[in-house]
Each structure stands twice: as C-alpha cells, then as structure tokens.
Amino acid sequence: MRSVLKRELLLNIKSLLIWSLSVGLMGFACILLYQSMEGEMKDMADAFSNMGAFSEAFGMSTLSIATLKGYFATEVGAVHGLGSAMFAAITAIGIISKEEDAHTGEFTFSLPLSRSKIIAAKGICVAIMLIVFTAICIAFYYIGFEILGEEMPMDQFMKFMGMQLLMNAEIAGICFGVSAISGKNRMGLGLGIALVCYAYDVMGRVVPDLKDYLFIGPYSYSNASEIFTGVATEGKAIVLAAVFLIGGVAFAFLRFNKRDLAS
C-alpha cells in the first residue's frame, strides 16, 4: 500500500506544484496590488457596495474592499475558492479511472494487494495533495500580509482556509466516487462539478428563493464574505458536506471492488 501511495504522489507532484504555485502566486499578487490600489479602493468601496445583486453575490454589500480583509475576501477569496475547487476536482476524478484509461490497471491490480488497499492509497494521496496545496497557498498569502504590514484577523483567515480545505475535500469526495464508475479520465466532468457548485452559490445569493437552499452547495460554509464578517456557519451545511464526502469515498470502495476492469 505504501508503494502505491508513493507512486501516486510522484505521478501527481507536477500537477500539485503547478496548481498550488499558480493559485498561490495569483493570490499573492492580488494581495500586493492592494497597497498600490488602496487610495482608489476607498473611492470605489461605496459604489461597489450599492450594485445590488452583484454586491450580494460577491460579498461587497457586507465588506468594504477598502480594508485588507474585505479586499482579500472579495478578490483573493474568489480566486482561491474557484482555483482550489478545480484542482480538487481534476485530481480526484482521474485518480482511479486513469488506470483503465492508460491501460496500467493490468499491472496495478496484479500487485499482491486488495483493491480496497489500492483505492485507500489513492484516496490518501488525494487528501495529502489537498493539504499540501492549502499549506502552500497559506504560506503565499501570509507572506503577502507580512510584506504589506497590514493587520489581518488571523483567526478568520485560518477559519476561511480550513473551510476551503473542507470544501475541496467534499468536491474531491464526489469526484472520487465518479472516478470509480468511469473507465476514462473525465477531467471535463470534474471541472464541470466544481464550476456548477460555484455558480449555484453565486445564484443562490442573488435569487431570493434559493437562499434557503444554499447549504446544499459546498461554497455555502466556505464563503469568504460570511467568514470575515463573523456570520455563524450553518451546522447542516457541515453535516451535508460530511455526508457527500464520506458517501463519495464509500461508493468508490463499494463500486470499484465489484467492477470488471476493461482490457
């Protein structure tokens, strides 16, 4: 099992570095831009807070983009939220199905290991990659705060990053289950799942009839504007996230143990 985990980490390290550095550096660059745009932000803050549905969707009605935490929540929060979800989706949705798609399953599943142990190693690989991805992004953002010398509420920042990690794990769990069904790499489907979840949250904050059902989507409890304004996280959203995560992983184990591998 350890050898399979090591193999998966080595195969995915390039993707991990590309995505974590890309998202982390984009967030880092946005943070550094805050200082040069601080004067203009004060003039724009009132205008952005009164743009109706647009302000509601991106949290500008509750946070001022003239402050670092408001700017981070609306700008960097959106970049990290979408980028990290896409990374989680494409990583998890191809981790199992690639064995058939690349015709390496004949070797992998001929090892003296049960399918369950191989699937477990792949699941652990996804979890490690998500944790490392989050840690790298935290490092970039923290360095940005230090360079600016601006005060950032670290308790809210760490809660935001923790909720983002949970959101990524939920999306990865769903895609992990999908990966056990397909014999081909469904990267497009994985990206679609991440984008649909993001679009659902944006729509839910604009359309009044959907607001009561926001907890269904993974972005509901990881929304930066709510976290940085101290809004309490809905317990049912966390419970549902755990259900989707555990359900996706359990389905992957049950489904793949019964599958006949395509030659």
Side-chain angles (χ1 to χ4, degrees):
M1 182 173 168
R2 188 176 299 176
S3 61
V4 175
L5 175 59
K6 183 178 178 181
R7 169 179 170 267
E8 290 296 336
L9 288 172
L10 289 173
L11 287 173
N12 287 284
I13 191 169
K14 183 178 179 181
S15 175
L16 170 62
L17 290 175
I18 290 173
W19 276 92
S20 58
L21 291 177
S22 297
V23 175
L25 283 171
M26 279 195 291
F28 176 73
C30 286
I31 292 170
L32 295 186
L33 281 173
Y34 171 75
Q35 198 165 54
S36 63
M37 298 172 64
E38 191 172 4
E40 290 81 359
M41 286 295 181
K42 291 178 181 178
D43 297 329
M44 295 164 60
D46 291 337
F48 278 139
S49 65
N50 293 301
M51 294 179 67
F54 181 84
S55 300
E56 288 286 337
F58 294 97
M60 295 180 186
S61 60
T62 55
L63 280 169
S64 172
I65 60 171
T67 64
L68 179 58
K69 76 171 185 177
Y71 175 79
F72 179 88
T74 55
E75 302 297 329
V76 184
V79 170
H80 182 88
L82 190 54
S84 63
M86 292 169 68
F87 169 70
I90 65 172
T91 299
I93 205 160
I95 195 81
I96 301 173
S97 60
K98 68 179 182 181
E99 299 292 352
E100 286 187 74
D101 192 36
H103 301 288
T104 55
E106 294 88 343
F107 168 75
T108 303
F109 293 97
S110 66
L111 296 174
L113 290 172
S114 66
R115 285 194 184 186
S116 293
K117 287 185 177 180
I118 293 174
I119 299 302
K122 290 176 177 288
I124 293 170
C125 173
V126 174
I128 290 173
M129 290 180 67
L130 294 182
I131 292 170
V132 173
F133 175 92
T134 304
I136 291 173
C137 289
I138 287 174
F140 274 116
Y141 304 156
Y142 182 77
I143 292 170
F145 301 149
E146 289 295 304
I147 292 174
L148 286 184
E150 297 274 351
E151 185 178 348
M152 168 64 77
M154 294 308 295
D155 56 338
Q156 293 177 336
F157 170 70
M158 292 307 296
K159 180 182 178 181
F160 167 70
M161 297 304 294
M163 288 300 180
Q164 287 286 310
L165 178 58
L166 176 59
M167 176 198 74
N168 296 334
E170 180 185 351
I171 291 175
I174 295 170
C175 292
F176 194 70
V178 174
S179 186
I181 301 173
S182 178
K184 294 183 179 181
N185 192 334
R186 304 291 184 182
M187 183 185 296
L189 178 59
L191 291 174
I193 291 172
L195 291 172
V196 166
C197 289
Y198 182 79
Y200 176 78
D201 187 75
V202 173
M203 289 176 60
R205 296 180 189 282
V206 175
V207 181
D209 292 341
L210 287 178
K211 287 188 177 181
D212 291 337
Y213 304 98
L214 271 177
F215 71 94
I216 297 174
Y219 282 89
S220 61
Y221 56 82
S222 60
N223 183 271
S225 62
E226 292 187 350
I227 292 172
F228 281 96
T229 50
V231 176
T233 305
E234 286 192 85
K236 57 186 178 182
I238 302 297
V239 171
L240 195 60
V243 169
F244 279 125
L245 170 58
I246 295 170
V249 173
F251 178 81
F253 275 87
L254 294 173
R255 179 70 179 87
F256 206 81
N257 275 327
K258 297 178 180 179
R259 276 194 64 188
D260 290 327
L261 296 179
S263 57

